[in-house]
Amino acid sequence: MMMDSVFSKLTHGIEFTYYLRDDVEAFLIKHGEQETFEHIMNVVREALAIAPLFDVNPDAARQAALLHDISNAISVSEMKEAAEEWSLPIMEEEHRYIRIIHQKLSMEMAQRIFGCTSPDILNAIECHTTLKAGASQLDKVLFVADKISWELEGDHAYQADMRTKLDELDLDGAALVYLDHVWNQRDKMKLVHPWLISARSELISQGV
């Protein structure tokens, strides 16, 4: 089965130490994803800085950050097939930009490969790119840490605006800054994910 071949291909030759940081590094380096690992470590640093401000367990934030992008080890051309073989639901809208399912694949790999069993951590990984309605504080910490950790060329004012909101201890406001940023560019984008739309609507309805 594809599931077995994907799993074997992903894990072949890797000796897991069960020290999560080292295992994630070895896994991603094995698959040529040094840049992904560097990004992940930036997200870890941001998540560890943000989590205590909002009474979020720092270790949960660290684990979620370490695992959120591990599916970059799967090429985009194989993501759909892997999701289907692992029985992960693909929304109709996601077919327009299949890479968006990397968040679901990372969640599945966190369980299958790295043994993560925490529903809170897995939920945060699953929505780290889009957020979703009913998001937990951990979900929002990972979402915000991910967005402000992107090293982008040029001026991206939304990142500074997100940091300002964090300085004001407004986690929802920081999340909404990015959600608004995407929404305002919706006509230029391949996909504005339904989860992102519902997360934004919820925050707005709450008067954020």
Side-chain angles (χ1 to χ4, degrees):
M1 291 177 62
M2 172 70 177
M3 179 173 68
D4 294 329
S5 64
V6 166
F7 182 85
S8 299
K9 180 177 169 183
L10 288 171
T11 58
H12 179 72
I14 300 174
E15 292 187 15
F16 290 96
T17 67
Y18 303 100
Y19 180 61
L20 187 58
R21 181 207 173 280
D22 288 354
D23 286 346
V24 168
E25 180 177 21
F27 178 78
L28 289 171
I29 298 305
K30 169 77 162 47
H31 293 288
E33 290 293 333
Q34 174 70 38
E35 285 189 15
T36 295
F37 181 69
E38 291 171 2
H39 164 70
I40 279 174
M41 293 311 298
N42 287 336
V43 177
V44 168
R45 283 188 283 274
E46 293 290 353
L48 286 174
I50 297 168
L53 303 176
F54 302 100
D55 297 321
V56 170
N57 183 303
D59 191 56
R62 180 186 68 86
Q63 291 183 54
L66 281 168
L67 293 166
H68 80 281
D69 267 352
I70 52 174
S71 62
N72 281 6
I74 301 176
S75 67
V76 174
S77 63
E78 294 179 319
M79 283 184 173
K80 180 180 175 182
E81 191 173 357
E84 289 173 346
E85 290 296 337
W86 287 343
S87 300
L88 296 178
I90 303 175
M91 301 170 71
E92 181 180 345
E93 296 87 348
E94 290 171 335
H95 285 279
R96 295 205 302 269
Y97 180 56
I98 203 66
R99 193 187 178 281
I100 197 70
I101 68 169
H102 83 279
Q103 59 183 3
K104 296 177 180 178
L105 289 168
S106 286
M107 177 197 68
E108 189 71 13
M109 291 165 64
Q111 298 177 78
R112 289 178 181 270
I113 297 176
F114 293 91
C116 179
T117 59
S118 165
D120 293 340
I121 293 170
L122 294 170
N123 287 339
I125 295 168
E126 184 184 31
C127 68
H128 77 265
T129 301
T130 59
L131 208 58
K132 60 184 174 184
S136 71
Q137 291 293 86
L138 176 59
D139 296 345
K140 294 169 188 173
V141 166
L142 179 60
F143 176 78
V144 169
D146 182 43
K147 303 305 176 282
I148 63 178
S149 296
W150 285 343
E151 296 181 355
L152 305 168
E153 293 184 8
D155 180 35
H156 297 274
Y158 72 85
Q159 289 181 316
D161 292 344
M162 291 175 78
R163 289 190 180 279
T164 297
K165 290 293 185 181
L166 291 175
D167 289 342
E168 297 169 354
L169 299 181
D170 184 359
L171 182 60
D172 285 355
L176 186 57
V177 165
Y178 182 77
L179 297 172
D180 280 343
H181 170 71
V182 173
W183 181 251
N184 292 336
Q185 300 183 84
R186 61 191 180 278
D187 294 337
K188 306 174 187 174
M189 303 188 72
K190 294 178 182 177
L191 170 68
V192 179
H193 198 281
W195 287 3
L196 186 148
I197 294 170
S198 64
R200 179 175 176 271
S201 295
E202 181 181 69
L203 291 176
I204 290 171
S205 72
Q206 293 170 352
V208 174

